[in-house]
Amino acid sequence: MNLKQKIAVLTLTGAALFTATPAMAGDMYAKSGGAVAWSYGTNGSVAVSDTQADGDETYANYDRRYNTGYELRNKSGAGTTVYSSADTTNYVTRLRACQEVDFLPDNCSSYSYR
């Protein structure tokens, strides 16, 4: 392989890596009390589970690439999981898990980032 061919291969490889970066996986996980939230793989969606039979709702606060301030609520009770809609172009960039507490501030984890 001559020098021009090597440069061409390196250029194409670098361009492929550069364009693939936004789609690479960045798993996120957060837990607070009975609330567990996660976004795996391409981070197209968020899931939030309620793991405690305590009567409290759980929810996830999250941001996407182009929009912020989302909330996904799980009102289905202990042992259930709910999922947001999937959008791998406008992927999830951060999330936290929260457990609703009656008449007190909710218990929330710190944010997990992509």
Side-chain angles (χ1 to χ4, degrees), residues 21-85:
T21 301
M24 288 182 178
D27 295 345
M28 292 178 281
Y29 175 86
K31 183 176 186 334
S32 179
V36 179
W38 66 90
S39 181
Y40 293 148
T42 58
N43 302 116
S45 63
V46 169
V48 62
S49 290
D50 186 342
T51 63
Q52 292 180 349
D54 54 14
D56 293 332
E57 291 180 11
T58 60
Y59 61 96
N61 295 127
Y62 64 101
D63 295 339
R64 290 188 175 271
R65 181 178 181 192
Y66 301 119
N67 310 94
T68 61
Y70 287 94
E71 182 177 278
L72 176 64
R73 286 215 167 242
N74 184 344
K75 300 178 181 184
S76 302
T80 63
T81 302
V82 296
Y83 299 88
S84 70
S85 60

